């Protein structure tokens, strides 16, 4: 059976967690393929809000298997906290959650390195979540990392010590003031590692997923971050350190490209970004403030305010192309209710020339945005349950997007709750 992918098309926080949770009933397995606790995926149902960082968003469905793939980086301390949060919801994760032996571990010193590197960069900082993501992927590609599978062997602590010492030397190289107590961090780390060893099932996840495909099981691969944060295709260097795009699901899970069927591309009806880096359609006015307020645009992981702006169709088209998106899902259209005129960016003027593709540099100095004005809608749509019930202006907004991107919008989300989800038939 083929594998479907679900991934974000913008700078993250598109609503991936919500939709994976909504779709899980149609799948046997949900598998996270990259990123780590830099992600914050929010799910809401029965009046409760859950935020997941490393655990796949299918975890609340007892009949689904959840896999943390080899492409993910795991911080044992955060993972343990996430698991403890599940206890009160009676989730038997010992049966339903499997961790790849090839997933890399985030060490306390990776976090310190992240902090030191960002501090040293000063105003040029990436705006990292400071979860140690960059340094951990650096050790992975530098062939120095420690993997979950190493925990089954007695010598892993020697490997740890050597690596931690090297990291401390690297921290001091940055020559920044960093207050930390490594011994204290290590106590917490080793405790959490023991917890993971005793409570989780480590697997060769590529094998598990390969066998599941042979048995015709349905698999949904869950992405983290967004396409514009991809290490290759994002707004480098203001990106994360993994491939967030469709190809990342192949390497992050061991799934062959010809076994991928649908690619669900999620986008917000506007655009947000947390951290530094170019954002051509960013708003600095009352409309931007209003979107941030109504949309509760604060990071699920760091609590930082998200920058808000108009929908950028040029960037979205690029993401659709790089990922091979087959279906679009539009989130948070309800947040735009009450704005008279909505602008959507349809072209850039790049170094004086009008273009409709994403150029090498998105820096303000090189880009001018060109907008189309579309009529907004006044109605509160958070109670709508059918596409036909949406205001005509919103339907026109969606049609405009579909025509530009040449891909259908088959799901419209009108609020954070599981139930506030409208499916459109393909006929
Ligand atoms: P993710 O990282 O892609 O899973 O997204 P986040 O959870 O970081 O951010 C999405 C936020 O928007 C969360 O607070 C969700 O509860 C919320 N959300 C999701 N869909 C909708 C929607 O259609 N309307 C509104 N108003 N909120 C939504
Ligand atoms: P989800 O899965 C939004 C951003 C950070 C920073 C840059 C690099 O919830 O959509 P990192 O910690 O990876 O070194 O940070 O990437 N970033 C995210 N922004 N949503 C995320 O994940 C993000 N994960 C990382 O803010 O700009
Ligand atoms: Mg998020």
């Amino acid at each position: 059976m083929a594998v479907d992918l679900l991934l974000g098309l913008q700078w993250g926080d598109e609503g991936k967690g919500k939709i994976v949770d909504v779709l899980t009933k149609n799948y046997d397995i949900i598998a996270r393929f990259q990123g780590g606790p830099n992600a914050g995926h929010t799910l809401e149902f029965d009046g409760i809000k859950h935020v997941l960082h490393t655990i796949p968003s299918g975890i609340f469905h007892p009949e689904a298997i959840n896999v943390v793939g080899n492409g993910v980086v795991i911080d044992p301390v955060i993972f343990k906290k996430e698991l403890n949060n599940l206890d009160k919801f009676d989730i038997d994760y010992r049966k339903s959650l499997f961790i790849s032996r090839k997933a890399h571990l985030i060490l306390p010193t990776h976090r310190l390195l992240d902090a030191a590197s960002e501090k040293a960069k000063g105003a040029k900082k990436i705006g990292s979540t400071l979860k140690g993501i960059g340094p951990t992927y650096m050790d992975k590609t530098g062939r120095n990392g420690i993997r979950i599978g190493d925990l089954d062997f007695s010598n892993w602590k020697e490997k740890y010590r050597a690596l931690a010492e090297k990291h401390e030397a690297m921290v001091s190289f940055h020559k920044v003031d960093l207050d930390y107590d490594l011994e204290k961090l290590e106590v917490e780390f080793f405790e959490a590692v023991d917890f993971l060893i005793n409570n989780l099932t480590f697997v060769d996840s590529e094998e598990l997923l390969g066998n599941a495909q042979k048995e015709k099981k349905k698999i949904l691969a869950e992405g983290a971050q967004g396409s514009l944060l991809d290490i290759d295709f994002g707004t480098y260097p203001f990106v994360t350190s993994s491939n967030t795009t469709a190809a990342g699901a192949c390497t992050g899970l061991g799934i062959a490209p010809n076994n991928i069927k649908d690619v669900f591309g999620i986008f917000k009806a506007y655009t947000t970004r947390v951290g530094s880096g170019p954002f051509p359609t960013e708003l600095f006015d009352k409309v931007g403030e209003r979107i941030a307020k109504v949309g509760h645009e604060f990071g699920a992981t760091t609590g930082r305010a998200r920058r808000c702006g108009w929908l950028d169709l040029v960037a979205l088209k690029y993401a659709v192309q790089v990922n091979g998106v087959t279906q679009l899902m539009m989130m948070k259209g309800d947040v735009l209710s009450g704005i008279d005129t909505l602008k959507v960016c349809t072209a850039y003027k790049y170094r004086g020339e009008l273009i409709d593709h994403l150029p090498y540099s998105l820096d303000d100095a090189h880009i001018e945005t060109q907008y189309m004005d579309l009529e907004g809608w006044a109605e509160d749509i958070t109670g709508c349950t059918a596409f036909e019930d949406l205001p005509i202006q919103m339907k026109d907004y969606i049609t405009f997007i579909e025509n530009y991107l040449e891909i259908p919008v088959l799901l419209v989300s009108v609020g954070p709750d599981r139930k506030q989800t409208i499916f459109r038939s393909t006929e």
Side-chain angles (χ1 to χ4, degrees):
M1 186 62 97
V3 180
D4 294 334
L5 307 187
L6 181 144
L7 37 80
L9 299 180
Q10 296 159 319
W11 277 290
D13 303 328
E14 296 88 351
K16 298 174 290 293
K18 167 181 164 161
I19 298 303
V20 169
D21 171 60
V22 167
L23 296 180
T24 298
K25 59 180 185 319
N26 305 329
Y27 292 90
D28 301 297
I29 299 178
I30 306 298
R32 250 293 283 278
F33 61 84
Q34 44 66 237
N38 48 349
H41 293 183
T42 314
L43 289 63
E44 260 188 69
F45 51 87
D46 302 337
I48 304 175
K49 181 170 153 175
H50 306 268
V51 180
L52 298 169
H53 301 287
T54 326
I55 297 176
S57 302
I59 197 72
F60 291 99
H61 297 254
E63 62 292 347
I65 294 296
N66 286 266
V67 175
V68 176
N70 56 281
V72 176
V73 289
I74 295 175
D75 183 329
V77 178
I78 296 177
F79 207 147
K80 177 173 177 261
K81 278 191 197 137
E82 278 192 78
L83 293 168
N84 291 343
N85 285 342
L86 294 179
D87 282 342
K88 53 182 173 295
F89 300 104
D90 208 19
I91 306 291
D92 194 358
Y93 57 78
R94 288 168 190 84
K95 286 207 185 112
S96 64
L97 181 60
F98 297 96
I99 317 299
S100 168
R101 290 198 174 90
K102 295 192 174 78
H104 280 245
L105 282 177
I106 301 176
L107 312 182
T109 45
H110 282 133
R111 274 187 274 139
L112 297 178
L113 265 176
D114 209 357
S117 158
E118 283 286 81
K119 220 166 178 184
K121 283 192 165 119
K124 293 198 172 78
K125 71 175 183 190
I126 308 295
S128 151
T129 59
L130 303 179
K131 302 293 175 198
I133 304 296
T136 306
Y137 278 116
M138 272 167 70
D139 271 339
K140 175 178 176 172
T141 50
R143 296 159 298 179
N144 295 311
I146 299 180
R147 302 189 287 178
I148 286 286
D150 291 329
L151 304 179
D152 284 336
F153 298 93
S154 55
N155 66 344
W156 81 270
K157 282 193 183 161
E158 287 158 36
K159 213 169 152 184
Y160 169 85
R161 196 72 273 144
L163 196 53
E165 274 169 26
K166 186 171 116 184
H167 289 161
E168 281 210 282
M170 289 163 77
V171 168
S172 56
F173 166 83
H174 284 295
K175 295 193 175 57
V176 291
D177 245 355
L178 206 63
D179 217 10
Y180 66 89
D181 179 349
L182 185 55
E183 267 178 44
K184 200 168 151 207
L185 294 173
E186 283 181 345
V187 169
E188 185 186 46
F189 173 75
F190 287 118
E191 247 177 48
V193 166
D194 284 341
F195 182 87
L196 298 196
I197 293 173
N198 295 326
N199 290 281
L200 287 178
T201 314
F202 302 156
V203 295
D204 297 323
S205 57
E206 64 279 28
E207 200 61 24
L208 183 153
L209 294 169
N211 289 335
Q213 287 173 77
K214 279 187 205 142
E215 290 162 19
K216 308 264 182 263
K217 296 254 166 70
K218 293 191 77 183
I219 302 170
L220 177 66
E222 174 179 2
Q225 289 80 57
S227 303
L228 302 176
L229 288 170
D230 183 278
I231 183 73
D232 284 284
F233 302 109
T235 45
Y236 192 89
F238 300 101
V239 292
T240 190
S241 297
S242 64
N243 281 116
T244 58
T245 45
C250 298
T251 56
L253 293 171
I255 284 171
N258 56 343
N259 284 338
I260 292 172
K261 193 171 144 256
D262 269 319
V263 179
F264 304 128
I266 295 216
F267 67 101
K268 279 180 192 168
Y270 47 94
T271 312
T272 63
R273 169 161 213 175
V274 211
S276 332
F279 181 176
T281 62
E282 184 166 9
L283 284 163
F284 299 95
D285 59 6
K286 290 265 177 276
V287 182
E289 280 169 31
R290 176 191 173 129
I291 292 174
K293 190 158 172 254
V294 180
H296 303 292
E297 294 297 355
F298 292 93
T301 295
T302 59
R304 289 179 294 173
R306 295 175 182 147
R307 300 152 66 191
C308 296
W310 296 120
L311 186 65
D312 185 342
L313 287 179
V314 181
L316 215 48
K317 191 166 197 140
Y318 178 77
V320 162
Q321 176 189 313
V322 169
N323 290 304
V325 171
T326 60
Q327 293 187 25
L328 291 162
M329 297 171 165
M330 190 176 95
M331 314 296 290
K332 300 190 94 161
D334 54 295
V335 173
L336 298 180
S337 286
I339 302 177
D340 294 341
T341 304
L342 301 171
K343 289 182 178 292
V344 289
C345 173
T346 51
Y348 295 153
K349 210 170 195 185
Y350 179 62
R351 305 174 95 183
E353 191 194 337
L354 202 62
I355 57 167
D356 63 359
H357 66 270
L358 208 77
Y360 181 73
S361 165
L362 284 190
D363 283 352
D364 285 349
H366 304 139
I367 287 273
E368 261 177 63
T369 40
Q370 307 259 321
Y371 291 100
M372 279 287 291
D373 283 356
L374 301 177
E375 202 183 330
W377 51 93
E379 296 88 340
D380 173 358
I381 56 161
T382 54
C384 287
T385 52
F387 190 79
E388 296 67 47
D389 301 341
L390 294 173
I392 180 77
Q393 297 89 340
M394 187 174 180
K395 288 185 200 152
D396 289 346
Y397 189 77
I398 292 170
T399 305
F400 189 85
I401 294 167
E402 290 180 321
N403 289 341
Y404 190 99
L405 300 176
E406 299 177 278
I407 310 275
V409 174
L410 293 184
L411 183 152
V412 179
S413 172
V414 293
D417 194 88
R418 244 184 208 171
K419 292 198 185 109
Q420 291 171 300
T421 311
I422 299 174
F423 287 90
R424 245 171 122 194
S425 72
T426 38
E427 275 102 63

